[in-house]
Structures are given as structure tokens and as C-alpha cells.
Amino acid sequence: MENLTNCDEGLQPAVCRACLWARGAAWGRRAAGESLPPRRPAAQPCALGGLDAQQRAPQPLTPGGGEVWLLSGSAPGHWTARPATAAMPVGSLLPLFSSPGGGGLGGGLGVGLGGGRKGSGPAAFRLTEKFVLLLVFSAFITLCFGAIFFLPDSSKLLSGVLFHSNPALQPAAEHKPGPGARAEDAAEGRVRHREEGAPGDPAAALEDNLARIRENHERALREAKETLQKLPEEIQRDILLEKVKVAQDQLRDKVLVGDLPEVDFLPPIGVENREPADAAIREKRAKIKEMMNHAWTNYKRYAWGLNELKPISKEGHSSSLFGNIKGATIVDALDTLFIMGMKTEFQEAKLWIEKNLDFNVNAEVSVFEVNIRFVGGLLSAYYLSGEEIFRKKAVELGVKLLPAFRTPSGIPWALLNMKSGIGQNWPWASGGSSILAEFGTLHLEFMHLSHLSGNSIFAKKVMNIRTVLNKLKKPEGLYPNYLNPSSGQWGQHHVSVGGLGDSFYEYLLKAWLMSDKTDLEAKKMYFDAVQAIETHLIRKSSGGLTYIAEWKGGLLEHKMGHLTCFAGGMFALGADGAPEALAQHYLELGAEIARTCHESYNRTFMKLGPEAFRFDGGVEAIATRQNEKYYILRPEVIETYMYMWRLTHDPKYRTWAWEAVEALENHCRVNGGYSGLQDVYFVNESYDDVQQSFFLAETLKYLYLIFSDDDLLPLEHWIFNTEAHPLPILREDKKPVEVKEK
Ligand code: DMJ
């Protein structure tokens, strides 16, 4: 294996990135349903082809035993690893780089650039050799990218891999990648961050792909050239510096976690679980607690310690979003258990966390998902209970996420291997971009991490995101969903208050509120953004329903996602800070969105809302595409009812919430817990067999709060993160925790 480069040591940036890119291509296989072994553990060496070690047949192909592997494939699902000697024209050049001592292409480039082929250093390359080397390398990169991006709808294939969990349970149609396909999301409870295939013009899509290829190609060339121009001593020095940096980071991480300052925990406000005075409301609230008990007990019985439950198969469900981290449901449910007074269950959960929750996982996680569910869940559990273990675990995890910010702009990667600290972006994201809703949804948790650790590093990381955003020119004042972390420039100009954009706006508002209204920069960014959204995205249907469309380079798609429905609550919550003349307007806007989203529920057979609904082709608030008709126990509509109830006390919100409870009981409840549905318009239930962790964290919590008095987690004291985990407002005078000086 001496001819392989080790990506995890971060020694060969250009080459390692090639590994990651190619790894994306290898993922493409899985989208077509082929089963692959688990992803390459990051500590394993990575060949230039980026194929998992397990995917590679071990026999040597070059005369001296150096392995040369290329990716090939011309149709979706036909990616294969094959020896470079097999046929490609470029293959004929390869022997040039395979030394008898074992340096194949992996060795020639990987080792050669970083330290020399066996028996000879890079200094041994003559200028012509270097040139040919450069040519081969660029041809290889072109081949990889060409293949990735020219595959029909390859982004779908790639993304499908990332979210696909149980093909057997999805209807065949929903597996077909295509415009609007989001069945992958359903399978994994995918959150607000995938964009449907652009339904538009194929020429524009092609142009887009070409631009992406060009951009990636140029970057690869640039990086390869830079490396080639360096003297061997310079390369050695770079390696050394990188090593020192990694070692320093590791040291800093240890110090951060091991040396938490002492704190005085102040009792939380509004956590007494008083019974509502009205008997009917009391009964309803008790019913919701019983639902929580059903969800929890079944998770415990069939999937304890795993991420989520498959309530039909009665076994664990694991999502690639969390890598190898375990226990998503346990951490996500902690605060709901606490506020419902389920003390024994809370203690069981705490015990499991103490003994088993481990973040040293050698697999890629979604930084956003881990932050909102795990960091958010642990922080809330700490603020509610004062149990030190939750603070410790939250900070430990926060530290593990810090390497995601190691990008030229400081805009974090979407995916991170928490063991190696290597990050990358979703292969489907425009031009290698990070996603607005992902890097824009770290602020609340990271501010609290700084507060609880006494270390400003977390706050600095998220404040820098603001700085980058504020320097950029926004098209029509709107924030595109894609931002390239290397160039610090926008990717495609797609704007959404639903998937890919949503919680970025939510966190601007909540950052201002959580700072006790002192973070005026966040306030300004929020209200400016909302103004642009109103002008360019918000429309009224002929039937009088207000909806939020999606914006694609200036064109509107008259579609609203279930995810977008959270915005009703957001607008209403923000009314308070708006200029006086606009406060009532924002409250009404919230109410209108709540009504539209309620209609999207009401116009289905199951009385539960579809994943997306449209306002075109003669329909209003109805899903017209098969792959948009599913419901995966999402909370956003109920979330908006909760804010509207708290802010207006209009009884219709309790009525609508109760309709949702009945629908959940009638259609989603099964013996083994609660399941999502494939088609809310169909008379018979067809289950997706996943009990999402956010059902316990959000859907049931918001329902419970709607039928509780307002003094349970009052909005004047608590801010809910996007996963409904309550975080206390940080007031200068009485912070929930007094950090003691060392
Ligand atoms: C949750 O994980 C969060 O609400 C996230 O912001 C969006 N998606 C899911 C629920 O739908």
C-alpha cells in the first residue's frame, strides 16, 4: 500500500481533494441501488481514484505491483472501478508513472508530489515529465468531472445515495431521479436542504453543468500546477507545517474539552409542568404525552441506542446524516421528555449518553444536522436540568465540529469526518458550494457553546460567516442558497425560504432575540431579507391564499414546500421587532401563511400535508407530482400553529393542531411507533417505515406546548432552535449560567 496517499493526514491537499471528488463519483453507484461496503474509513489510505479501499481488488496491475485504478462509467449506476491498463487512451501514458518499485499513478502523484516515488524524489522528475504528469492529471480530473456531471441528472444520483435508506419501501416512481424528486428525503427524514431538480430549461442546465466542470477543472489545474512548481523542500515543509497544525488543533481541542470553566447554574425559567385549568385542554395535552410515550417506548424496545426507529419493521434505522454517531432519537427527545415530566425516561436517556455517546466517529456527518439535533439537544438538556454531563458533551461535540470551518473563506463544509477533520460539500451542490441553510444554522448553538465553555472560538466562527455574507452583493437583496467556501462567492442564484434557505432566515431573527435584542446586525439582516422576500417571492393565489414561491435566477416557481411553512411562525415572531407600522402586517402575514399551510393539510385525504404543494396548472395548495405527496412526520405547520397560538390566542390554532393530532393517530400510528406516509392523498396508508427523531423533538413538543399554558417555556425567555430545542435568551444582567473566572 505504499503507493497510496493518506488523505487523512491532510498532507496532499490537491491530491486528497481529487480523492474526495472521485469518492463522490463512487457514491453514484449506490444511487442506482448497488450495494457498496460502508464508506471508506477516513484513516484508511485513499488512492488517487478515490475508491474505498474495500472497493479495490488487491492485485497489482503495473509491472512492479503499483496499482492504477480509474473510474469508468457512462450510464447511471454503471460506475465501476477498473484498472487503468484496461482501455482508456490515457491509460497508455500511465506506465510512465509506475516505477518498478511500486509507484503507480497513486504512487507517482500521491507519493511523488508529496515525497517522491520509491527510490526517487520529485526532484527526479524532469521538466518534460512534469509536463506530461500535469497533462495526465488534468485529463484524469476532466474525466472524473465530465463523468459526474454529464451523467443524466447525476446530481440526483449522487444525492440519492446520501439520503437513501430503504429502497424496498419506496414506490419505484419515487426512486427515479428527476425534477422534483425528493423521495430520498423522505427515506431519511431529509431536512430543509435539498433542492429539487431544476424543472427549467435543459439548455440552461447544460450551460450550468459546463460552467461547473470548467470551474472545477480550472481549480484542479491551478492546484496541481502550484504543487508541481514547488521545490521538494517546499513540499516537505508544507507537509511539516500541516502536521504541526493538525497537532496544534488536536492539542487545543483537548484543552478546550478538558478544561471547562466552572459555572453556577441558575434555575431555568418556566419549566414547571403545571396542568392547564381547562379540563378539555388537559385531556388533549395528556393525549399528546401518551403519543410521546408510545413513540419513546417503541424506540426503546426496538431501536435503543440506534439513531431512529423503523416502526413497521420494528428495528433500528440509521441515517447517513449522522455518520456513525448513535442515539439521535435519545438526544433529540431529551428536552421533550423533560418538559412532559417523563423523569424516568429522561434519566435513562442521560445514563445512555454518559456511557455511550461517542463523537470520535470515523465517518462523515452532516455538520448542520449534528449541530441542530445533537448540539442543540444537549444544550437544551443542560439548560433545563443543569446536569453537567450535557454541557460537557455539547462542548466536546462543538470542538469536533470546528475543523469544518477550515476553508479559505471560513464558510464551513457541509460534511465532516469528525475523526480526521476532513470536510467537503455535498456532491450535488452547485459548483461545490456550501448551503445557506446549513452554514446559516449554526449561530444560536455556537453562541451558547462559547458562553458555556468560556471560549470565544465558537462565536468567532459564526460571526465570520456574517462578515462574509455582509461583504457580498445580494441579487435583488436576496440570499442565494449556494455559496462557494473556497472563493467566498455565490453559486447558482436560487433563493428559497424552504429547503436550502429556510433556517438561515430563522436564525437571523432568533440571533437577535437570543441576544436580548442587542445583536442589531442580525436584526437588520433579517428585516432586509424579509423585505426582499416579500417583494420577490411572496404571492397571492387567485383563490386568495398567500404563498412563498421559489426564485430561480429571477423566475418564480409557484411551489411551496412543507418546510417553508415554518415561516408563518417566523414572520409572526418577528412582528415584535418590526417598525411599528409593519408589526401588525407581519403578524397578519404569519396568519396567512398558517392558513395556506392548513389548507395544504385540509385538501388531502389523510389531513396531513404533502412535502410540497403548488399554485399553478389550475391547482392551489395541492401536490401535483407523485414524488411530492409524502409526509414524514414533519413539524413545520404545527410549529407555525404554536407561534400563532402563543402570539394571538386565536382558538382556531388549537383546533387545527388537534386536527393534526387526530390525523397522526389515524394514519401514522402503528403498533411499533409512528411512521411517515408515502401519499397523503391516497385512501390507504403506505408507510415509509421511519419514525424521525424530529417527531419527538419537534412535532410532539410543539403540539404539547399548544395545549399548555404560555408559562411553559415562555417565549420571553426561550428561543427554540430549528429542531425545537429551547435555548435561554442570553441577558447581560442575568445569564442562565455564571461563568467563574479561573
Ligand atoms: C428538522 O430537522 C428541522 O426542523 C430542520 O430545520 C428542518 N427539517 C427537519 C424537520 O422537518
Side-chain angles (χ1 to χ4, degrees):
M1 286 296 198
E2 73 273 23
N3 59 338
L4 302 176
T5 55
N6 190 332
C7 284
D8 305 306
E9 287 171 9
L11 306 183
Q12 312 279 343
V15 175
C16 287
R17 204 152 303 140
C19 293
L20 297 173
W21 288 332
R23 193 188 315 165
W27 288 345
R29 290 176 71 200
R30 282 201 285 170
E34 288 182 49
S35 62
L36 276 184
R39 285 198 207 154
R40 179 181 67 84
Q44 288 183 9
C46 164
L48 184 64
L51 296 174
D52 295 358
Q54 304 95 313
Q55 287 168 248
R56 300 163 356 101
Q59 69 269 50
L61 294 163
T62 53
E67 295 168 300
V68 178
W69 288 84
L70 296 176
L71 292 170
S72 79
S74 54
H78 287 88
W79 281 103
T80 50
R82 64 180 180 77
T85 46
M88 310 215 27
V90 71
S92 61
L93 289 169
L94 295 173
L96 265 180
F97 305 104
S98 65
S99 73
L105 184 58
L109 279 177
V111 177
L113 293 179
R117 291 173 291 182
K118 217 173 185 183
S120 60
F125 288 124
R126 283 197 308 272
L127 196 64
T128 44
E129 272 184 340
K130 283 183 184 175
F131 182 67
V132 176
L133 192 63
L134 180 63
L135 269 182
V136 173
F137 188 57
S138 59
F140 175 77
I141 296 297
T142 310
L143 182 77
C144 289
F145 281 100
I148 292 170
F149 290 108
F150 277 120
L151 278 176
D153 207 1
S154 57
S155 62
K156 279 284 147 201
L157 287 172
L158 293 167
S159 56
V161 170
L162 295 163
F163 304 113
H164 220 86
S165 66
N166 193 348
L169 293 158
Q170 307 290 330
E174 294 195 9
H175 279 293
K176 277 190 209 129
R182 292 189 66 146
E184 314 89 344
D185 300 8
E188 292 279 356
R190 180 60 192 144
V191 292
R192 300 174 176 171
H193 310 292
R194 291 279 324 288
E195 181 147 49
E196 295 78 6
D201 164 18
L206 183 66
E207 186 44 46
D208 229 38
N209 279 343
L210 284 174
R212 240 179 289 165
I213 294 165
R214 236 175 277 132
E215 190 190 317
N216 286 327
H217 185 183
E218 277 161 17
R219 192 176 49 212
L221 266 179
R222 231 180 9 252
E223 288 174 353
K225 263 190 215 154
E226 276 164 21
T227 311
L228 280 170
Q229 275 162 9
K230 286 184 179 170
L231 295 169
E233 308 82 68
E234 283 183 297
I235 295 172
Q236 299 285 12
R237 201 199 49 199
D238 285 356
I239 294 171
L240 220 72
L241 282 178
E242 188 65 24
K243 272 189 175 164
V244 170
K245 196 164 160 278
V246 170
Q248 277 173 348
D249 281 357
Q250 281 170 353
L251 200 71
R252 189 208 53 212
D253 293 358
K254 276 205 194 104
V255 171
L256 258 175
V257 176
D259 208 16
L260 284 185
E262 275 181 43
V263 292
D264 277 339
F265 178 78
L266 306 179
I269 298 175
V271 294
E272 302 87 47
N273 198 10
R274 280 189 300 141
E275 290 287 330
D278 180 328
I281 299 298
R282 233 178 11 247
E283 213 176 294
K284 289 184 167 143
R285 195 171 91 133
K287 172 67 198 166
I288 295 158
K289 181 169 171 180
E290 187 277 327
M291 292 167 76
M292 177 70 183
N293 192 49
H294 182 66
W296 177 260
T297 316
N298 279 293
Y299 165 75
K300 203 174 131 191
R301 188 173 301 145
Y302 301 116
W304 183 246
L306 301 172
N307 279 326
E308 288 170 322
L309 163 71
K310 286 178 159 194
I312 308 286
S313 321
K314 298 187 174 165
E315 61 187 25
H317 169 74
S318 63
S319 160
S320 56
L321 300 172
F322 312 122
N324 293 338
I325 309 183
K326 300 269 186 299
T329 296
I330 298 181
V331 181
D332 235 3
L334 279 170
D335 48 17
T336 309
L337 294 172
F338 190 94
I339 64 162
M340 289 186 178
M342 297 171 71
K343 293 210 170 90
T344 318
E345 291 81 356
F346 183 83
Q347 284 309 322
E348 289 165 351
K350 183 190 139 197
L351 220 63
W352 183 89
I353 287 168
E354 258 163 0
K355 291 208 175 121
N356 304 292
L357 188 58
D358 178 22
F359 304 127
N360 208 23
V361 295
N362 195 1
E364 264 169 348
V365 301
S366 154
V367 173
F368 159 83
E369 293 290 353
V370 166
N371 176 58
I372 65 168
R373 301 194 202 203
F374 284 86
V375 179
L378 291 164
L379 287 173
S380 288
Y382 173 69
Y383 281 120
L384 292 172
S385 69
E387 299 274 9
E388 192 58 22
I389 178 72
F390 299 127
R391 177 169 78 117
K392 193 174 153 280
K393 287 280 177 192
V395 176
E396 187 187 326
L397 179 53
V399 168
K400 285 287 202 188
L401 293 177
L402 286 175
F405 293 82
R406 273 193 218 142
T407 65
S409 62
I411 296 289
W413 298 114
L415 300 167
L416 178 74
N417 182 312
M418 294 210 300
K419 187 156 187 170
S420 68
I422 292 178
Q424 66 163 330
N425 275 337
W426 297 107
W428 47 262
S430 157
S433 292
S434 302
I435 304 296
L436 183 69
E438 298 200 324
F439 64 78
T441 309
L442 303 169
H443 195 98
L444 305 183
E445 296 80 2
F446 274 53
M447 294 307 279
H448 270 287
L449 286 176
S450 273
H451 176 63
L452 289 182
S453 66
N455 192 310
S456 62
I457 187 162
F458 305 100
K460 281 185 184 145
K461 297 286 178 200
V462 287
M463 289 312 285
N464 173 60
I465 296 178
R466 288 249 191 102
T467 311
V468 175
L469 289 174
N470 280 329
K471 276 191 202 142
L472 286 171
K473 194 168 159 12
K474 283 127 213 118
E476 309 288 350
L478 295 164
Y479 287 84
N481 294 333
Y482 301 104
L483 203 163
N484 188 308
S486 303
S487 64
Q489 298 300 317
W490 299 121
Q492 272 172 327
H493 283 192
H494 288 183
V495 178
S496 168
V497 183
L500 303 182
D502 51 11
S503 40
F504 161 70
Y505 305 100
E506 176 187 351
Y507 270 37
L508 288 179
L509 172 65
K510 291 181 176 176
W512 172 60
L513 293 171
M514 201 182 79
S515 69
D516 202 11
K517 302 191 177 170
T518 56
D519 183 352
L520 297 178
E521 182 181 49
K523 179 184 182 188
K524 175 165 174 19
M525 288 170 79
Y526 170 76
F527 282 108
D528 287 353
V530 168
Q531 202 180 3
I533 287 167
E534 271 215 86
T535 312
H536 298 287
L537 271 65
I538 298 191
R539 295 289 177 268
K540 200 167 227 156
S541 72
S542 48
L545 294 178
T546 302
Y547 63 95
I548 312 175
E550 312 234 321
W551 193 86
K552 299 199 164 158
L555 296 177
L556 280 190
E557 190 181 5
H558 298 272
K559 179 193 84 171
M560 190 165 162
H562 192 288
L563 293 166
T564 323
C565 286
F566 88 98
M570 178 181 75
F571 292 140
L573 185 65
D576 178 27
E580 220 180 297
L582 284 175
Q584 188 56 25
H585 166 72
Y586 283 128
L587 204 57
E588 278 161 19
L589 186 57
E592 284 178 35
I593 298 296
R595 181 164 82 95
T596 301
C597 292
H598 176 252
E599 280 307 309
S600 79
Y601 274 47
N602 210 28
R603 295 174 189 198
T604 69
F605 176 80
M606 306 269 183
K607 302 293 173 207
L608 289 166
E611 181 66 6
F613 43 94
R614 296 188 176 258
F615 296 84
D616 55 16
V619 302
E620 298 208 350
I622 288 181
T624 51
R625 303 182 184 189
Q626 192 53 39
N627 59 21
E628 292 172 348
K629 294 183 178 171
Y630 62 88
Y631 171 69
I632 57 166
L633 306 172
R634 286 201 192 277
E636 292 76 16
V637 176
I638 292 165
E639 175 181 348
T640 277
Y641 296 163
M642 192 283 287
Y643 283 107
M644 294 312 302
W645 164 253
R646 282 272 175 107
L647 297 167
T648 68
H649 289 132
D650 182 333
K652 78 173 173 233
Y653 297 113
R654 275 188 164 167
T655 308
W656 292 353
W658 192 248
E659 285 169 12
V661 168
E662 289 177 325
L664 286 166
E665 288 299 275
N666 289 338
H667 302 293
C668 299
R669 186 174 180 135
V670 292
N671 272 339
Y674 289 86
S675 169
L677 300 163
Q678 308 270 15
D679 185 346
V680 287
Y681 296 90
F682 196 53
V683 289
N684 296 319
E685 292 86 9
S686 150
Y687 300 111
D688 72 358
D689 199 12
V690 183
Q691 178 176 287
Q692 306 284 346
S693 76
F694 55 66
F695 181 64
L696 294 87
E698 299 190 73
T699 314
L700 292 175
K701 186 187 287 132
Y702 285 134
L703 282 169
Y704 191 76
L705 290 176
I706 292 173
F707 294 98
S708 297
D709 293 343
D710 293 358
D711 58 6
L712 180 61
L713 299 179
L715 296 180
E716 301 75 47
H717 292 283
W718 297 90
I719 297 298
F720 293 93
N721 89 338
T722 195
E723 187 80 359
H725 295 306
L727 300 171
I729 288 177
L730 291 169
R731 298 188 202 287
E732 261 327 301
D733 49 342
K734 33 184 178 294
K735 292 237 165 98
V737 154
E738 291 292 348
V739 183
K740 287 191 186 150
E741 286 295 326
K742 281 227 155 222

